[in-house]
Amino acid sequence: MTKISLEELVSFLKEQGFVFQGSEIYGGLANAWDYGPLGTLLKRNVKDLWWNKFVQNNKLNVGLDSAILMNKDVWQASGHLSNFADPLIDCKHCRSRYRADKLIEEATNGSVNADGFTDEELVNYIKEHNICCPKCGQNDFTNIRRFNLMFKTFQGVVEDSLSEIYLRPETAQGIFINFKNVLRTSRKKLPFGIGQIGKSFRNEITPGNFIFRTREFEQMELEFFTKPGTEMEWFNYWRQFCMDFLVSIGVDKDALRFRDHEKEELSFYSNATTDIEFLFPWGFGELWGIASRTDYDLKQHMKYSKVNLEYLDPETNQKYIPYVVEPSVGVERMMLAILFSAYNKEELEKDSRVVLKLHPALAPYKAVILPLIKKNHAAKAQEIYDALSQKYSINYDDAGNIGKRYRRNDAIGTPYAITIDDDTLNNGTVTLRDRDTMTQKVIKVEDIEKYIDEIIKL
Ligand code: GAP
């Protein structure tokens, strides 16, 4: 169980400056969110950690930053134009609109996963199990229509079908269409991966649960190209790698589980898929999808572009289309799981405190500099802040008594509070307070970096 409800978390994050309602001063835009000073830092840290682990520290992998806008044929080839659609159903009585699979999932408290159901199966299930409209309580729905989730726009000044383009609904296709470019320029040999972080857009029918499902979000995707026949080995490797990564950055291990897709649920091009799910306050939800996508995407792009995307195996001299294993995760979803895991309210002897026990590598600020008495210690505090902020994000807080400043920084997850006092001026020492244990020790100014470096390691 999470230690805070969704509503409480949303209000806490707004209060602290992590996440604001998008377009707030104009009455907001539904399901759009802006990231404040702390949310921006947390988001950057999430992306940096992913990048380090999946790209920078792995000699098999390289990075890419492909365009959001792509040739329309990309989406024809990938199948998104014809298949990337959700089953839309309307209540005839009150006109509320639902995603039919989600309606079933919610009515069965998540015990039925209707993701792979055909339209006929969805309709039958809703009828047979007398699933009613959550708003008006009637069981009187329209037939299912397929609603394509891609945002359409126009390129250039003429708004006709020739200038129609789409905002990408996943970053993955940008990787597939650059397979040949990356292969040639990086001189990689199989197996190798291409990682990418970037915005994706989906006109979701039922966005919601705060930043869990939105229409604009960021993805961190790795397309790992393998020799056919070895893909299961790599699928199992990345499946575990992703789970270990989540645990290493502080996502509550007891709230995580693997959910392997049953055969009937698998996409037609996939020979294995697992979701890593997190227990959110509304139940388990997909956090990270790991899919073995066979050679489907490259084959499709080869067919539609007429460019040969085969790989020439230098060992066997054989040509073949690589198989792909894809771990794909949303930045915001990962942030949400991190925040639910880190949030704690603790009763202390005299009062209570909220503390975000974020892994120090994720913490927006690595330390806060606290001049004990502004007029005596501000100059030295500024000097220490200037030196440390060359290397880390550092907070500076000189307002209110020390106790209040500790609490403020506990609540935003700052791992160390560093107090500058007369001893700093006279002996070159500071008091270092640990966020989680609240213990304090006196250390030399020149040792501060050593302490920070030690805790931000993964
Ligand atoms: N390329 C594969 C792909 O995009 P997906 O399961 O549709 O697969 C991967 O998405 C991940 O992206 C999800 O596990 C989730 O973390 C994130 N994601 C997908 N849709 C999202 C949305 N509407 N809002 C926020 N995150 C989303």
Side-chain angles (χ1 to χ4, degrees):
M1 278 302 284
T2 48
K3 291 154 270 184
I4 184 173
S5 71
L6 180 64
E7 294 70 27
E8 284 165 330
L9 187 77
V10 175
S11 122
F12 169 78
L13 294 177
K14 182 179 173 181
E15 207 43 49
Q16 297 292 346
F18 280 89
V19 186
F20 305 125
Q21 170 70 63
S23 311
E24 191 180 271
I25 63 166
Y26 288 100
L29 175 69
N31 301 295
W33 302 97
D34 293 338
Y35 292 82
L38 298 177
T40 306
L41 289 171
L42 175 58
K43 214 174 186 196
R44 281 180 63 146
N45 293 340
V46 168
K47 290 189 277 187
D48 284 350
L49 288 192
W50 182 92
W51 187 266
N52 290 347
K53 209 69 189 170
F54 283 78
V55 181
Q56 186 172 306
N57 304 342
N58 191 323
K59 69 180 190 320
L60 295 179
N61 297 341
V62 290
L64 184 78
D65 187 359
S66 69
I68 289 175
L69 304 177
M70 287 181 255
N71 189 309
K72 197 170 159 182
D73 293 347
V74 171
W75 308 116
Q76 192 75 49
S78 67
H80 282 82
L81 271 176
S82 45
N83 297 327
F84 195 59
D86 276 344
L88 195 68
I89 197 167
D90 291 329
C91 170
K92 283 191 198 162
H93 198 250
C94 72
R95 292 172 192 271
S96 295
R97 182 160 284 181
Y98 301 100
R99 229 177 95 174
D101 55 334
K102 292 287 162 218
L103 189 69
I104 295 175
E105 274 172 44
E106 266 153 42
T108 57
N109 286 326
S111 63
V112 175
N113 188 316
D115 205 15
F117 282 21
T118 62
D119 289 358
E120 199 184 337
E121 284 166 341
L122 288 167
V123 168
N124 288 344
Y125 194 97
I126 289 169
K127 273 196 191 131
E128 281 162 19
H129 294 81
N130 196 29
I131 290 179
C132 296
C133 169
K135 201 157 170 212
C136 71
Q138 302 288 314
N139 175 288
D140 188 13
F141 292 103
T142 60
N143 277 333
I144 286 175
R145 283 146 11 254
R146 286 276 155 181
F147 174 75
N148 195 294
L149 299 186
M150 282 199 294
F151 276 101
K152 198 192 286 182
T153 186
F154 299 95
Q155 176 157 273
V157 289
V158 185
E159 294 193 1
D160 62 11
S161 61
L162 285 178
S163 61
E164 246 174 39
I165 50 167
Y166 297 89
L167 302 187
R168 68 178 176 203
E170 60 172 21
T171 69
Q173 298 304 324
I175 297 180
F176 295 127
I177 62 171
N178 278 291
F179 170 70
K180 200 117 219 186
N181 282 334
V182 175
L183 184 65
R184 182 175 53 80
T185 52
S186 66
R187 304 161 62 86
K188 288 276 172 207
K189 301 205 170 34
L190 290 189
F192 78 95
I194 305 177
Q196 165 154 245
I197 300 177
K199 290 259 183 183
S200 293
F201 302 84
R202 297 183 187 177
N203 199 1
E204 298 279 2
I205 301 171
T206 49
N209 286 335
F210 187 37
I211 55 172
F212 178 81
R213 180 172 289 110
T214 49
R215 296 193 169 109
E216 171 184 347
F217 56 99
E218 275 186 278
Q219 286 185 308
M220 305 186 282
E221 301 202 288
L222 177 75
E223 305 303 322
F224 194 77
F225 300 92
T226 67
K227 185 173 178 171
T230 65
E231 75 276 11
M232 277 311 148
E233 211 178 291
W234 284 108
F235 173 76
N236 289 324
Y237 173 83
W238 287 113
R239 183 179 175 276
Q240 191 58 47
F241 190 92
C242 295
M243 181 61 100
D244 293 345
F245 176 77
L246 288 170
V247 174
S248 77
I249 63 168
V251 178
D252 180 1
K253 134 158 146 282
D254 297 330
L256 288 167
R257 71 177 186 194
F258 287 116
R259 192 181 71 76
D260 297 324
H261 287 210
E262 301 291 337
K263 245 201 171 100
E264 313 76 65
E265 197 194 333
L266 285 175
S267 302
F268 65 93
Y269 52 76
S270 172
N271 56 4
T273 298
T274 296
D275 294 339
I276 297 179
E277 296 186 331
F278 181 79
L279 184 57
F280 292 99
W282 58 89
F284 274 103
E286 176 185 336
L287 176 56
W288 205 325
I290 300 104
S292 171
R293 298 177 70 108
T294 66
D295 55 1
Y296 171 76
D297 303 273
L298 288 180
K299 229 180 192 165
Q300 286 294 104
H301 288 302
M302 188 158 149
K303 180 172 153 199
Y304 279 80
S305 68
K306 312 262 185 298
V307 173
N308 187 357
L309 299 177
E310 285 173 317
Y311 173 76
L312 174 64
D313 193 320
E315 277 164 22
T316 61
N317 242 1
Q318 271 180 318
K319 277 187 176 173
Y320 52 79
I321 301 177
Y323 270 37
V324 173
V325 174
E326 175 199 67
S328 169
V329 64
V331 177
E332 295 83 355
R333 244 179 232 192
M334 197 185 278
M335 276 176 75
L336 198 55
I338 288 166
L339 286 162
F340 274 122
S341 304
Y343 183 91
N344 281 278
K345 191 158 186 187
E346 292 180 351
E347 291 306 323
L348 305 174
E349 250 174 51
K350 290 196 187 123
D351 59 352
S352 65
R353 69 167 185 158
V354 168
V355 53
L356 269 193
K357 292 190 174 171
L358 292 169
H359 189 294
L362 287 171
Y365 296 117
K366 306 307 169 209
V368 56
I369 305 295
L370 310 171
L372 186 63
I373 302 167
K374 212 170 169 179
K375 73 174 183 332
N376 298 348
H377 308 122
K380 189 69 186 171
Q382 179 72 44
E383 193 187 299
I384 293 173
Y385 172 87
D386 287 344
L388 291 176
S389 60
Q390 298 296 314
K391 201 165 154 192
Y392 321 95
S393 277
I394 300 289
N395 197 10
Y396 188 96
D397 192 347
D398 60 8
N401 69 43
I402 280 284
K404 280 201 178 125
R405 289 189 254 168
Y406 283 159
R407 291 286 176 275
R408 269 204 295 273
N409 281 281
D410 290 343
I412 62 171
T414 311
Y416 283 142
I418 298 169
T419 305
I420 315 301
D421 56 17
D422 285 347
D423 284 338
T424 319
L425 307 182
N426 300 328
N427 310 327
T429 59
V430 293
T431 307
L432 186 88
R433 174 187 175 271
D434 183 280
R435 174 196 71 195
D436 298 347
T437 61
M438 294 187 285
T439 53
Q440 304 187 5
K441 63 168 88 159
V442 174
I443 65 163
K444 291 203 185 106
V445 171
E446 57 267 31
D447 286 342
I448 299 175
E449 284 194 23
K450 203 173 69 188
Y451 274 84
I452 298 179
D453 287 340
E454 189 54 37
I455 54 164
I456 60 177
K457 280 190 212 145
L458 265 202

